Amino acid sequence: MISRSAADGVGTAGATAASSPYRVGAIVLAKPFVRGKSRLADLPSELRLQLSWAMLLDTCVAVTAVADELVVVSDEPRLQERLEPHLGRVTVLADPGGMNTAVAAAAATLPAGPTDVQVAVVADLPTLRPADVRHVVEQARQRGYVFVSDTEGVGTTMVASCGQRLESRFGKGSAAAHLAAGAALVATEFPTARRDVDLPADLAAAAQLSPGIHTSWLIERT
């Protein structure tokens, strides 16, 4: 466990929580690559597979710079052996069916003490930065239950909670669903935390935000 406190730059949710060590458990949700990015159908199928892998890897690299533990939920074959050379220790769970069920299954394996933070992240955030993840963790410690909306303000890219098992409301209209469930919207100035990629225009927009090295390498060749 990494011992952190308010002195590390994490916001205060009361003196006890601020001064107590805490752990960050992260969950990344990834479809099998053959099923991912179907709305990028204009790209060659092999390139879509490579893009799904590159975006997942860049997302995980940003997350593991902050998290103590990472659980990836996916039915992608051989994913653990592909990820570990890049990330070190990572747990891969089979998808139990549905994003919210996946979050619940992964959250059950992660620390959920009074000061611990759990954060779930979608796998297509190639521009995500460690500073983005750190900001969401800080907000969760201050406010208890938070989320980040996507660029359009309709979907969700990240959701986090402190001191409890994480529950999510991913799906159609998830930003409104998270608000209705009591999550606070993180007002982030970091567009890199909101730029998920579903459409060709999203990929072009991500390219302007300096995505991670694996996605950048592919974009340069498209």
Side-chain angles (χ1 to χ4, degrees), residues 41-109:
D42 289 344
L43 296 179
S45 58
E46 182 60 29
L47 181 57
R48 290 203 309 274
L49 291 174
Q50 294 174 346
L51 187 61
S52 293
W53 162 246
M55 292 195 296
L56 169 62
L57 186 53
D58 285 332
T59 300
C60 288
V61 166
V63 168
T64 54
V66 178
D68 299 291
E69 296 184 41
L70 172 63
V71 177
V72 178
V73 184
S74 179
D75 286 337
E76 174 65 22
R78 300 176 48 241
L79 188 56
Q80 185 161 352
E81 63 184 83
R82 292 185 68 185
L83 286 171
E84 286 191 336
H86 300 276
L87 304 174
R89 184 175 177 272
V90 56
T91 299
V92 176
L93 297 182
D95 188 347
M99 294 179 74
N100 299 315
T101 304
V103 169
T109 72

Side-chain angles (χ1 to χ4, degrees), residues 33 35-41 48 51-52 55 124 197-198:
F33 299 155
R35 286 172 37 209
K37 303 302 120 196
S38 59
R39 286 185 281 178
L40 295 176
R48 290 203 309 274
L51 187 61
S52 293
M55 292 195 296
D124 57 348
V197 174
D198 291 312

